[in-house]
């Protein structure tokens, strides 16, 4: 589906680059609808049809999509350099209501799906996509609006679920605003019961409250902050003789210096790197690379050349910069004898003087959150590269990471337990829908296990009202190599669970 999205959106990206006129853009959109299976020679793509309204008035929608002589949805087209206005959405709304269509699409500087929710004054936006090859939700758009699988009832159900998600997000935003307003009190009060539950056998409530009193918490909304400039410090090693010269030749011709002491790698000036981004690069990686291009490289005779040494925290970060996409720098960078840098990788944890017990336990909580954030960030980036799941949440330093599968109160709730060193993927069915969905899934247990290719734990916590179907993997999250292996396992299993259970739950009436 993601590949079809790329083919669908590519001409529109080119139109946007050249800011073509609306008629040209309109023509290309109609052509791309054929890519989704709609056929103009069967009267399924209708261009600016003049329709009567009442006795005197007429309307002329830009594009109507029909099947079996029945209109399915309407598209309002604006030039790709347009800035959407309220009047344009009002125009789309009038088409939808005159034609009694639940769904309409705006295509201009972006693509946006609108739903005419019953008993409301205006249509509502439920799905907004960037005109970009890397728009990961593009696969979902293709799935919804391809002729082969198009069903009005599925579109309406999707819109209803999106409205519920938006409402939930609005509620979360209100909580966030409240938290920002009084972060110190609320975070401290929230942490107290958690710490008492986890460490109450070792420390008294007064000790834990005393520790929290020595800490200062602040909160800010990421969406309201200016993106910081990416600053990569120059390498200033204390022991140059210990540095290892290395080379990278995949899609580049780069020279580097690897520092075994802190595992950093400096890409040296004069290195030739890939001037373009690969398809499998995250939006954040693309943005960072563009910033580094502007600051540390220049074009010489059509080649992208590093003009100033750049230090990266790890060989993989340096490799992504040179190659143009996700890359395992531990295997891509090789020393002068052709040996991979993985042989120089250090898994040792620096030893510190023994502080008092309270300091150790406080540090353990902080370290666990760092490990979880690192784990989920890498997990999300790798899952995003697969392009099979349309919407992925922002990683947080929690022990869980949720993935929605298209049904309210049912989701994949992945776990990363740093205290017991295991990870897991599980289908999580909340109490309100347990009676409907869980027995139906149990009835197909053998078929589901065969589709998963494994035997997960069914109802891993039978005393709970919520039900789960879970699969776990023991590991050592303090070991970077084993963490990477655990992430690979988690990505594979998440994709299988998503594909199997999204179909299974949608098939339950």
């Amino acid at each position: 589906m993601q590949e079809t999205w790329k083919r669908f959106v590519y001409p529109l990206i080119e139109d946007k680059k050249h800011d073509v006129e609306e008629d040209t853009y309109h023509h290309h959109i109609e052509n791309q609808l054929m890519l989704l299976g709609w056929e103009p020679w069967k009267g399924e793509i209708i261009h600016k049809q003049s329709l009567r309204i009442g006795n005197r008035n007429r309307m002329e929608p830009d594009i109507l999509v029909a099947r079996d002589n029945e209109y399915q949805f309407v598209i309002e087209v604006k030039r790709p350099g347009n800035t959407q206005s309220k009047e344009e959405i009002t125009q789309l709304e009038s088409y939808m209501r005159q034609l009694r269509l639940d769904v309409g699409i705006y295509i201009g500087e972006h693509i946006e799906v609108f739903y005419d929710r019953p008993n409301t004054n205006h249509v509502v936006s439920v799905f907004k996509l960037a005109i970009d090859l890397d728009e990961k939700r593009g696969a979902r758009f293709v799935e919804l609006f391809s002729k082969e699988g198009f069903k009005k009832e599925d579109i309406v159900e999707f819109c209803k679920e999106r409205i519920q998600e938006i409402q939930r997000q609005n509620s979360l935003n209100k909580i966030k605003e409240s938290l920002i307003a009084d972060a110190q009190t609320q975070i401290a009060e929230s942490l107290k019961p958690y710490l008492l539950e986890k460490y109450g056998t070792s420390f008294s409530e007064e000790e834990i409250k005393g520790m929290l009193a020595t800490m200062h918490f602040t909160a800010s909304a990421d969406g309201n902050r200016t993106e910081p400039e990416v600053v990569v410090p120059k390498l200033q090693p204390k022991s140059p003789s210990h540095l290892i010269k290395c080379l990278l030749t995949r899609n580049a011709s780069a020279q580097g210096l690897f520092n075994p002491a802190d595992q950093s790698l400096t890409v040296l000036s004069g290195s030739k790197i890939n001037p373009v981004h690969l398809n499998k690069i995250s939006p954040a990686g693309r943005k960072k690379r563009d910033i580094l291009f502007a600051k540390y490289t220049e074009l010489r005779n059509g080649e992208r050349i590093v003009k100033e040494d750049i230090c990266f925290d790890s060989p993989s970060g340096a490799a992504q910069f040179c190659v143009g996409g996700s890359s395992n720098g531990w295997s891509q960078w090789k020393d002068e004898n052709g040996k991979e840098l993985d042989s120089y990788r250090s898994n040792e944890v620096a030893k510190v003087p023994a502080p008092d017990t309270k300091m150790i336990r406080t540090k353990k909580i902080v370290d666990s959150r760092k490990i979880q954030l690192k784990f989920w960030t890498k997990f999300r980036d790798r899952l995003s590269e697969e392009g099979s799941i349309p919407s992925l949440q922002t990683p947080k330093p929690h022990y869980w990471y949720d993935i929605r599968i298209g049904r309210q109160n049912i989701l994949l709730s992945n776990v990363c337990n740093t205290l017991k060193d295991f990870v897991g993927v599980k289908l999580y069915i909340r109490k309100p829908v347990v009676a409907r969905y869980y027995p139906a899934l149990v009835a197909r247990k053998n078929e589901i296990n065969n589709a998963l290719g494994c035997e997960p734990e069914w109802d891993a916590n039978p005393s709970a009202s919520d039900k789960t179907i879970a699969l776990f993997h023991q590991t050592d999250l303090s070991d970077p190599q084993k963490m990477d292996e655990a992430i690979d396992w988690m990505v594979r299993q998440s994709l299988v669970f998503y594909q199997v259970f999204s179909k299974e739950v949608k098939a339950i009436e």
Side-chain angles (χ1 to χ4, degrees):
M1 290 290 184
Q2 191 66 23
E3 287 301 313
T4 303
W5 163 259
K6 291 180 179 179
R7 290 194 293 271
F8 175 83
V9 82
Y10 180 76
L12 309 187
I13 294 172
E14 293 300 304
D15 287 348
K16 194 170 183 179
K17 287 180 182 177
H18 298 96
D19 194 19
V20 300
E21 294 298 324
E22 186 175 306
D23 287 346
T24 302
Y25 200 44
H26 187 138
H27 175 69
H28 289 170
I29 291 169
E30 291 184 354
N31 285 342
Q32 294 310 96
L33 287 171
M34 289 190 282
L35 185 65
L36 301 184
W38 303 101
E39 300 171 341
W41 50 88
K42 291 184 179 180
E44 294 176 342
I45 302 174
I46 305 167
H47 176 92
K48 288 186 176 293
Q49 183 176 19
S50 180
L51 302 172
R52 182 182 296 278
I53 305 175
N55 295 326
R56 299 182 179 180
N57 298 323
R58 306 189 72 84
M59 67 178 182
E60 193 175 85
D62 289 336
I63 301 174
L64 279 168
V65 177
R67 184 167 58 188
D68 299 329
N69 297 318
E70 181 182 350
Y71 298 135
Q72 304 295 314
F73 56 92
V74 60
I75 302 176
E76 174 75 1
V77 177
K78 295 300 174 186
R79 63 184 295 171
N82 183 60
T83 299
Q84 187 186 87
S85 67
K86 181 178 179 181
E87 290 73 18
E88 290 161 357
I89 303 309
T90 301
Q91 182 69 56
L92 176 61
E93 178 183 282
S94 68
Y95 294 151
M96 293 167 63
R97 293 191 167 176
Q98 289 292 340
L99 298 169
R100 298 183 180 179
L101 295 174
D102 294 314
V103 174
I105 303 175
Y106 167 90
I107 304 182
E109 68 278 25
H110 62 265
I111 298 174
E112 192 167 1
V113 179
F114 288 85
Y115 172 54
D116 193 4
R117 190 180 182 187
N119 303 318
T120 55
N121 293 329
H122 299 289
V123 297
V124 293
S125 171
V126 295
F127 202 40
K128 186 175 180 180
L129 302 97
I131 296 178
D132 192 297
L133 295 175
D134 292 325
E135 173 58 82
K136 298 306 179 185
R137 298 173 301 165
R140 185 63 170 137
F141 178 85
V142 170
E143 181 183 3
L144 287 168
F145 291 99
S146 291
K147 176 185 173 182
E148 182 179 0
F150 184 87
K151 293 181 180 179
K152 281 187 175 182
E153 54 269 29
D154 288 348
I155 298 288
V156 170
E157 181 65 24
F158 166 79
C159 291
K160 290 179 179 178
E161 290 177 357
R162 284 290 299 149
I163 288 173
Q164 289 178 337
E165 290 177 11
I166 292 168
Q167 289 173 339
R168 286 171 60 85
Q169 188 58 54
N170 288 340
S171 297
L172 287 173
N173 287 340
K174 290 181 180 178
I175 296 172
K176 181 175 72 174
E177 291 170 3
S178 174
L179 181 59
I180 291 171
D182 190 15
Q184 181 66 34
T185 300
Q186 296 194 45
I187 295 176
E189 288 300 314
S190 299
L191 279 175
K192 186 169 65 176
Y194 165 78
L195 294 172
L196 284 171
E197 180 183 353
K198 293 291 183 181
Y199 307 105
T201 57
S202 302
F203 303 100
S204 69
E205 182 176 354
E206 289 303 315
E207 286 179 302
I208 289 175
K209 288 171 64 177
M211 180 195 70
L212 287 172
T214 67
M215 303 173 70
H216 179 66
F217 304 103
T218 59
S220 62
D222 287 343
N224 295 330
R225 294 189 305 185
T226 303
E227 286 294 326
E229 179 185 5
V230 177
V231 179
V232 184
K234 295 182 183 179
L235 181 67
Q236 295 178 344
K238 294 182 178 179
S239 305
S241 60
H242 294 162
L243 300 181
I244 297 168
K245 294 181 180 179
C246 52
L247 302 170
L248 182 145
T249 56
R250 177 196 167 198
N251 289 343
S253 178
Q255 302 81 42
L257 289 176
F258 175 66
N259 188 343
D262 61 7
Q263 306 282 280
S264 64
L265 191 145
T266 297
V267 179
L268 300 178
S269 63
S271 296
K272 298 177 183 179
I273 64 174
N274 190 0
V276 299
H277 304 301
L278 300 182
N279 288 336
K280 290 188 175 181
I281 184 172
S282 67
R286 178 187 295 268
K287 183 175 182 179
K288 180 175 180 178
R289 200 164 182 255
D290 285 338
I291 294 172
L292 294 177
F293 270 13
K295 191 168 184 178
Y296 292 102
T297 73
E298 62 185 4
L299 281 173
R300 299 179 196 165
N301 300 321
E303 295 181 317
R304 179 67 65 177
I305 307 296
V306 177
K307 64 181 182 180
E308 186 178 344
D309 294 355
I310 317 174
C311 179
F312 293 85
D313 291 337
S314 70
S316 293
Q320 175 168 304
F321 167 70
C322 294
V323 170
S326 180
S327 180
N328 183 353
W330 295 102
S331 61
Q332 295 294 332
W333 288 97
K334 297 178 175 62
D335 67 12
E336 292 180 298
N337 297 318
K339 187 166 62 173
E340 294 180 356
L341 287 189
D342 194 58
S343 60
Y344 300 99
R345 191 199 293 245
S346 172
N347 293 327
E348 295 181 1
V349 178
K351 296 181 179 180
V352 296
D356 60 57
T357 308
K358 183 163 67 174
M359 288 178 63
I360 292 175
R361 292 187 176 271
T362 302
K363 184 177 187 300
K364 189 172 184 180
I365 296 171
V366 174
D367 288 346
S368 294
R369 290 170 62 81
K370 287 181 179 179
I371 291 172
Q372 287 160 350
L373 181 59
K374 182 178 181 181
F375 185 92
W376 293 130
T377 300
K378 287 187 174 183
F379 169 73
R380 184 192 185 284
D381 288 345
R382 294 190 192 177
L383 199 59
S384 179
E385 289 173 2
E386 296 293 331
S388 300
I389 299 178
S391 180
L392 296 171
Q393 65 179 209
T394 301
K396 300 291 184 182
H398 301 153
Y399 69 85
W400 73 90
Y401 184 92
D402 294 341
I403 298 173
R404 299 194 177 278
I405 66 170
R407 280 291 181 267
Q408 187 74 8
N409 289 314
I410 304 179
L411 63 155
L412 296 186
S413 184
N414 295 342
V415 296
C416 173
N417 191 315
T418 56
L419 298 178
K420 296 183 179 180
D421 270 337
F422 72 84
V423 298
V425 55
K426 59 183 177 181
L427 183 76
Y428 190 90
I429 309 173
R430 294 189 176 119
K431 181 180 178 180
V433 298
V434 162
R436 177 185 177 190
Y437 285 95
Y438 188 69
L441 292 173
V442 171
R444 286 183 46 79
K445 181 176 179 179
N446 291 335
E447 293 85 349
I448 291 173
N449 284 354
N450 289 335
L452 293 173
C454 63
E455 293 189 8
E457 296 182 31
W458 288 70
D459 196 9
N461 187 6
S463 63
S465 300
D466 299 339
K467 297 298 178 183
T468 62
I469 303 169
L471 190 65
F472 300 103
H473 174 75
Q474 200 71 40
T475 186
D476 180 0
L477 292 168
S478 65
D479 182 331
Q481 184 171 350
K482 290 186 178 180
M483 177 187 279
D484 283 345
E485 292 171 356
I487 292 170
D488 289 339
W489 178 89
M490 180 81 83
V491 169
R492 290 195 305 272
Q493 298 302 334
S494 295
L495 290 171
V496 174
F497 267 56
Y498 181 86
Q499 292 165 0
V500 171
F501 284 113
S502 60
K503 292 179 181 178
E504 290 288 339
V505 299
K506 288 176 183 177
I508 297 172
E509 297 297 332

